[in-house]
Amino acid sequence: MTTVLIRNKVDEEGLNQAKKDYGEYIKVVVDIKTKLITIGGEWHAGGEKILIANGSKQSDLWGGGINLKNQQFDYTALINIRGQTNPSHVIMDVKIREKFDKIVREKLNL
């Protein structure tokens, strides 16, 4: 289980570390305010913990994943459940999805 914190852009070593759990599919947690992300790991909660330790607020964190082969995103993570504002494990708000995508594409050079 390897979760990698990405402050700027991912390097080859970080990407290879993130692929250790699920291969071409990597879990992602994004701070939509600071634009820090974590990639990899078995659970989104691991990335959430790292980001909070680096100053992020839980309310700014959203989880999902990306298939690196076809660059298809998913927006599913238990950390996304927010009561009435996001009652699902899927990111429901289209604007948050767009921010998530933009940040991930920038950090992973996609």
Side-chain angles (χ1 to χ4, degrees):
M1 293 183 274
T2 303
T3 304
V4 180
L5 175 66
I6 307 296
R7 293 183 185 278
N8 296 308
K9 296 201 183 254
V10 71
D11 58 22
E12 188 174 342
E13 180 183 341
L15 193 56
N16 287 335
Q17 290 292 317
K19 289 179 179 181
K20 286 185 176 182
D21 292 302
Y22 299 108
E24 292 299 314
Y25 174 84
I26 57 172
K27 293 191 178 220
V28 180
V29 179
V30 175
D31 181 325
I32 61 171
K33 295 280 177 152
T34 67
K35 299 183 180 177
L36 289 176
I37 72 170
T38 59
I39 58 174
E42 186 176 4
W43 303 99
H44 291 98
E48 177 184 50
K49 182 177 179 180
I50 290 169
L51 289 169
I52 289 171
N54 280 273
S56 294
K57 295 179 183 176
Q58 199 283 329
S59 59
D60 297 329
L61 301 181
W62 296 91
I66 185 168
N67 180 320
L68 295 172
K69 282 188 178 184
N70 61 15
Q71 296 187 14
Q72 184 170 347
F73 287 84
D74 79 68
Y75 308 98
T76 306
L78 291 175
I79 68 167
N80 295 336
I81 299 171
R82 310 284 167 91
Q84 292 182 355
T85 59
N86 198 82
S88 174
H89 60 284
V90 176
I91 302 171
M92 305 298 289
D93 187 316
V94 173
K95 290 180 182 178
I96 292 173
R97 285 184 181 200
E98 289 171 353
K99 288 179 185 179
F100 182 97
D101 288 2
K102 183 179 179 184
I103 294 166
V104 172
R105 288 185 187 285
E106 178 185 305
K107 301 290 184 176
L108 298 185
N109 302 309
L110 301 176

